[in-house]
Structures are given as C-alpha cells and as structure tokens.
C-alpha cells in the first residue's frame, strides 16, 4: 500500500470512526467480569533458565471445536489440559490428560500450527535444550516428526514464529534463542543467534544463523506493509545484551538482512518480553504492543511512509501500564505476554498483559497484577483488571485471551512462575454482539497463515492478519474473534495467502463461521 493510498484510506477511516464512536457512546458501558475456573495445579518452575518462558499453547487437538491448553512446566513436566466444557452456556471445565509425548521437561513454551498440511494441528515445542516438532495424530495424541526434525542442539529457546514463503510446501520456522549457556564469559553480553529454518527438498537442514542475536524473547513473522512477504520482528531483552543491541526486524529476502535506519527503522533498546500485533486504528496497517520492564510500548504504524516506522502513542492513551494498580507495591511493573482482543464486544479492541517479577528483582514490583485495559470511545484505554477480577499477584508469564467455550466472550488463561496456572471465564452480562471466524484452506497452509481478514462494521473496517508467533513463548490457533457492538451483522472478506481477494459476504451476529477460498 503506497503513501497516497494510505492517506486516502485514513480520511475514510477517521470519518467512519467518528460515526462509530458516537453510536458506541450510547451503548451499555458496564465493564467486563471474569470468574475464576477451578483447575488442577500446574506450576512453571525451575532455575534461572526458567525465569523467562512459561508459555501457553491454545488449540483444539481432538476435533470437538473446544480449545485445549498445553502449558510449559520448566523443570516440571509440561501438561495438556483437555477442554471438557459441556456446552456454550456451561462453566468452563478442564482436566489434565497429558500423553507421554507431551510430558516433557525443560519446556519454555509451545506454538500450534499445521506443519505437514494434513489438517491436524502439530506443535513446535521450545525448550532449554533441544527443541521438538511434534506431529498431531488426532484425539490429542502426538509423536515426533521423523523427517522434519530441527537441529537446534542444546540451546535455550524463548521465542518462535512461522510463515509460509511463496512456493514452499513446508513453513519457514524461526526460533528465537536467549543467552548462550556454553559461553564461559556469560551470561551478560553473550546472547545467542536466532535460528532460521527454510525448507529444502521436503525437510529442514541446518539452520541459518541470524546474527547478531540480542536475546530474543518474542518473535513474529508479519506482512507489515502488505507486500505479500512476511518479515521477521524480534523483541530482545536488554538485560542480557547490556549494550549495543536493540529491537530488530529482518527483511526476509533470499539473503535475510536487517532493516536500517535509512529505511525508517528506529532503534529501540527494551527489556523486550512479548509482541502483540493488530490493526488498532482501522487504517489497515499492523500496530504493535511491546511488553518490557517498566513501561510498555503501544506503537502505531506510520501511514506517512512506506518504511518500517512505528511511533509511540502519547502517555495520555493510558497504555504504558508502568506501575501496579493494586497490591500496594509502587515499583515499576514487568510485562510479559500481551494480546489484543475485544473483551466486552463493544467493537473496540482492548489490551491484556500478564505481569510478574522476573524472580527477586529489587527495583521491580513483587506484587504486580495482570493488566486489562479497556478501550474507550475516544481511543484511550482505562485499567479495569481489578474490577474485572483478573488482578492476580502471582508471577505471570505466558497467557491467552481466547474464547474457550465458543460463547462469543474472550476468556483468559495465565501460566505463573512458582504458582498454579489460572483460568478465568468471561461472564460479562452486558456484552455486545460478536462473530467467530475460522479460516480453512487447501494444503499445505491449511490455516491460511498470512491471510488478512477485513471486517466492515457499518462502514468501519477492521483488519486482522493471521499469524503464528509473538506473545511470550506461546500462542493460539483457532477462531478469530470480532466484537460487533450493537451491529446486527458485518461484511467480511479474506485476502488469502498469495494475494487473491475473496468476495465480500454478509455474516449475521452471534455465530461461528468457517471461511474457505
């Protein structure tokens, strides 16, 4: 999308947003409410290699359309929690039923995706040790891929993303690694390289090392400029690269290269923990939320340039979440997993962030509640975590903001370090209308990774990119949730991987729809 097109689009967007905000201001303003779900204990624990990580993979592994939870355990075995919820209106229910292939130790996180194109979701499992690709067999059973092993050796993996590059039958995989534990001069200043696996002849060979590495804690492939090519963004932990490093984005050319300042890339040095990406202002471009120690960065992609430029929003947006809002500890916060989602279905995306001290960092808050920032009609955000019931003071790590019982309301799950995992069911009584969208495509890319979904709600267009990656050490593969507010329907179309645009179609409110090419 070139600059004149962007500017013309912005004018239309602003007009539609103004009309929508006026309608939304008259809607019920009752805040969201969440109810704690009883759950068997699962604790992410271990030594310094598990100060970070603690990811959560959310996906349906038995074909009943209800997503399961696969939680990293660190030195404890990872666990699979089967979703045993009876119906859409019932209370959420999960039972630990972990097959042998998933009961792994050393796990820092996991991401679901269909690697081999058979329609059954597989798992990329990240570890302090050798990473593992697990083939889904159906009925929540898994086995190791015999021909698609990755050779990351004994590294410390803390981030992952995947995309399908043009002409390939297998996805390109990126594993973000942390400190090089074998370096005797470590840990400070000894960040390991990112591992890039591009398929060759139906398999994966030795990885390409993307160097320099700056201790990546979150990795995301995204077609940020709608060019048809996904580039690789890394959020890096300043704590270990100490100096000389920054956030990174690799242009995924035949020979990958880092974007430069001359192209518009702006250097940021963060204690980077997680990436969330979504078009938040309706201009069709992907904005980002970056978690860190101290303030979090909410950045809007600049429409005035074709380069990779994101600009911090002002403090007045209410998104920095830099100190705890309850618990009595006023020291700076530590953010981990972040997710965008419309928790009250008012048509405006909100922001969820897991929080928690690394371990005993004296300059950071020990009591650090998760954030739930509700977007207001003027585009600013208001903290509602305590009122909503999700203000846990455990050391949060990985998380999920996903509709776990397909009732149209986004629920929350959080893996905690040295404390039990928590799940909260969204029991909001005054939420608006919604749609759940499920994309299905022919092999090899059966989940249409790289597609863009455009949703027209009374003239206001939302854009969703389908990705694998981001967050903190975990992600979900499932339905795209869209809040409609008071709208009775929406017009929807998909720009499928490869660029072919489907037809606009009307979808009525409060239903789950499968979209195919």
């Amino acid at each position: 999308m070139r600059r004149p097109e962007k500017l013309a689009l912005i004018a239309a967007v602003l007009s539609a947003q103004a009309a929508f905000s006026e309608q939304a201001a008259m809607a019920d303003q009752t805040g969201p409410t969440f109810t704690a779900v009883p759950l068997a204990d699962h604790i992410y624990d271990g030594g310094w290699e598990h100060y970070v990580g603690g990811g959560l993979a959310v996906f349906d592994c038995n074909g009943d359309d209800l997503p399961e939870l696969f939680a990293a355990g660190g030195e404890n075995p990872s666990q699979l929690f089967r979703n045993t919820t009876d119906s859409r209106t019932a209370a959420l229910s999960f039972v630990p039923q972990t097959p042998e292939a998933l009961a792994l130790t050393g796990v820092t996180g996991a991401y679901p995706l269909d690697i081999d194109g058979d329609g059954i979701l597989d798992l990329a499992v990240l570890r302090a040790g050798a990473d593992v690709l697990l083939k889904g067999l159906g009925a929540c059973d898994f086995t190791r891929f015999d021909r698609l092993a990755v050779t990351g050796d004994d590294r410390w993996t803390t981030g992952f993303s995947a995309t399908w590059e043009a002409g390939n039958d297998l996805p390109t995989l990126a594993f973000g690694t942390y400190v090089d534990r074998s370096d005797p001069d470590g840990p400070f200043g000894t960040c390991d390289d990112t591992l890039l696996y591009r398929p060759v002849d139906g398999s994966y060979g030795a990885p390409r090392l993307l160097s320099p590495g700056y201790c990546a804690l979150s990795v995301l492939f995204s077609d940020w400029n709608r060019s048809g090519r996904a580039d690789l963004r890394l959020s890096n932990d300043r704590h270990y690269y100490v100096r000389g490093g920054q956030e990174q984005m690799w242009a995924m050319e035949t020979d990958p290269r880092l974007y430069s300042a001359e192209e518009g890339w702006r250097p940021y040095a963060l204690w980077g923990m997680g990436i969330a990406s979504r078009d938040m202002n309706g201009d069709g471009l992907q904005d980002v939320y970056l978690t860190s120690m101290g303030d979090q960065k909410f950045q809007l992609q600049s429409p005035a340039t074709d380069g990779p430029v994101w600009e911090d929003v002002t403090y007045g947006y209410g998104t920095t979440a830099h100190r705890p809002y309850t618990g009595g500890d006023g020291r700076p916060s530590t953010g981990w997993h972040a997710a965008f989602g419309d928790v009250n279905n008012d048509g405006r995306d909100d922001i969820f962030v897991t929080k928690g001290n690394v371990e005993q960092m004296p300059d950071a808050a020990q009591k650090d509640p998760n954030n739930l920032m509700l977007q207001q009609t003027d585009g600013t955000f208001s903290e509602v975590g305590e009122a909503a019931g999700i203000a846990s003071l455990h050391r949060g790590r990985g998380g999920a903001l996903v509709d776990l019982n397909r009732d149209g309301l986004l629920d929350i799950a959080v893996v905690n370090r040295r404390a039990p995992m928590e799940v909260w069911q969204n029991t909001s009584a005054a939420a608006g209308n919604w749609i759940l969208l499920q994309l299905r495509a022919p092999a090899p890319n059966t989940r249409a990774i790289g597609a863009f979904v455009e949703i027209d709600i009374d003239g206001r267009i939302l854009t969703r990119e389908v990705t694998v990656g981001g967050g903190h050490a975990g992600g979900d593969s499932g339905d795209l949730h869209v809040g409609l507010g008071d709208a009775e329907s929406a017009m929807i179309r998909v720009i499928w991987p490869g660029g072919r645009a489907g037809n606009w179609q009307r979808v009525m409110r409060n239903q789950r729809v499968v979209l195919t090419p």
Side-chain angles (χ1 to χ4, degrees):
M1 188 181 298
R2 298 300 177 186
R3 180 175 178 178
E5 297 170 313
K6 291 179 183 177
L7 296 178
L9 176 61
I10 290 170
V13 164
L14 292 175
S15 177
Q17 283 182 327
F20 182 82
S21 295
E22 183 177 351
Q23 296 170 9
M26 298 183 291
D28 193 320
Q29 295 299 306
T30 303
T33 57
F34 290 80
T35 302
V37 176
L39 195 71
D41 277 359
H42 175 79
I43 296 176
Y44 181 75
D45 206 349
W48 76 294
E49 291 174 331
H50 299 294
Y51 286 179
V52 299
L56 181 66
V58 183
F59 66 115
D60 173 21
C61 62
N62 60 3
D64 65 356
D65 291 330
L66 293 174
E68 275 69 47
L69 306 175
F70 176 62
E75 290 184 359
N76 295 327
S78 52
Q79 287 198 74
L80 178 73
F81 287 80
R82 293 280 291 268
N83 193 331
T84 53
T85 306
D86 283 339
S87 69
R88 288 194 332 178
T89 57
L92 285 174
S93 173
F94 291 90
V95 175
Q97 294 182 4
T98 308
E100 182 179 355
L102 296 186
L104 302 169
T105 58
V107 174
T108 56
Y111 289 81
L113 72 162
D114 183 6
I115 296 172
D116 57 357
D118 65 356
I120 301 173
L121 287 170
D122 311 306
L123 278 173
V125 181
L126 319 183
R127 301 177 71 228
D131 301 321
V132 180
L133 298 182
L134 294 175
K135 176 178 172 59
L137 302 175
C140 293
D141 196 11
F142 295 84
T143 188
R144 296 199 180 205
F145 275 106
D146 55 357
R147 65 180 182 87
L148 297 179
V150 290
T151 56
D153 301 323
D154 189 24
R155 295 178 188 263
W156 181 1
T157 305
T158 46
F160 176 83
S161 190
T163 190
W164 267 259
E165 295 186 280
N168 288 340
D169 289 336
L170 291 171
T172 295
L173 311 176
F175 291 82
T177 62
Y178 204 46
V179 171
D180 181 355
R181 297 170 298 165
S182 66
D183 192 323
D185 295 327
F188 298 105
T190 58
C191 292
D192 214 342
D193 294 323
T194 296
L195 310 182
L196 180 69
Y197 292 88
R198 279 174 156 164
V200 177
D201 297 329
S203 188
Y204 296 109
R208 167 84 177 256
L209 303 183
L210 299 184
S211 182
Y214 292 128
C215 292
L217 282 176
S218 192
V219 179
L220 181 63
F221 279 113
S222 172
D223 183 5
W224 59 276
N225 59 357
R226 306 289 294 270
S227 68
R229 185 191 74 196
D231 292 325
L232 183 63
R233 183 168 191 147
L234 307 179
S235 191
N236 301 312
D237 187 359
R238 182 178 183 177
H239 181 69
Y240 282 112
Y241 63 70
V242 184
R243 62 182 65 86
Q246 58 171 289
E247 302 287 282
Q248 295 169 302
M249 192 161 73
W250 292 84
M252 289 301 294
E253 298 169 354
T254 302
D255 186 16
R257 63 173 180 83
L258 286 168
Y259 277 99
S260 66
E262 290 72 24
E263 294 170 287
W265 180 253
R266 297 180 180 178
Y268 293 100
L270 307 178
W271 287 268
M273 309 294 195
I275 305 170
S277 177
R278 180 163 292 185
D279 172 19
M280 289 293 286
N281 57 5
D283 64 1
L285 303 174
Q286 297 303 299
D287 309 307
V288 295
Y289 193 88
L290 306 174
T291 57
S292 180
M293 294 177 65
D295 61 335
Q296 327 303 311
K297 283 186 176 292
F298 178 29
Q299 298 181 331
L300 299 178
Q301 188 178 159
S302 172
T305 173
D306 292 325
V309 178
W310 284 262
E311 297 176 340
D312 293 354
V313 302
T314 60
Y315 178 81
Y317 269 71
T319 55
T320 58
H322 57 290
R323 293 187 187 275
Y325 54 85
T326 190
D329 193 330
R331 288 171 289 182
S333 282
T334 305
W336 297 90
H337 184 87
F340 293 116
D342 187 352
V343 297
N344 56 356
N345 291 335
D346 63 358
R348 299 184 297 272
D349 279 320
D350 312 304
I351 302 173
F352 169 68
V353 181
T354 68
K355 289 286 189 67
N357 196 289
V358 173
E359 185 66 7
Q360 295 291 335
M361 299 287 283
D363 294 331
Q366 293 292 327
K367 296 180 179 181
D368 203 355
N370 303 319
N371 291 100
L372 183 59
M373 291 167 275
L374 208 66
Q375 188 175 175
Q376 308 301 303
T377 57
D378 62 358
T380 62
F381 291 78
S382 176
E383 179 59 56
V384 298
E386 187 169 26
I390 57 92
S392 171
L393 297 179
H394 295 314
R395 294 180 181 87
R397 290 297 188 265
L401 183 63
V402 176
D403 183 356
L404 294 173
N405 60 351
R406 305 311 190 204
D407 65 350
L409 295 171
L410 292 173
D411 308 298
I412 290 174
V414 177
V415 174
N416 294 307
R417 173 167 167 78
R418 295 173 57 197
M421 183 168 75
E422 296 171 291
V423 174
W424 293 275
Q425 181 172 354
N426 191 334
T427 52
S428 303
N433 297 323
W434 52 271
I435 296 172
L436 293 175
L437 304 173
Q438 185 182 64
L439 272 60
R440 290 292 181 268
N445 184 6
T446 63
R447 292 319 195 260
I449 306 305
F452 285 86
V453 183
E454 296 177 342
I455 306 105
D456 186 337
I457 307 173
D458 295 334
R460 186 178 64 104
I461 297 181
L462 308 177
T463 304
R464 301 287 176 81
E465 183 183 15
V466 182
T467 61
V468 176
H472 182 72
D476 65 276
S477 178
D479 297 348
L480 299 178
H481 171 272
V482 182
L484 298 181
D486 293 331
E488 299 287 320
S489 65
M491 295 294 292
I492 294 171
R493 74 166 179 172
V494 181
I495 292 86
W496 297 95
R500 187 178 69 82
N503 295 324
W504 287 97
Q505 56 184 299
R506 184 171 296 279
V507 176
M508 302 306 294
R509 65 174 183 171
N510 302 343
Q511 63 171 318
R512 187 168 183 254
V513 178
V514 177
L515 302 174
T516 59

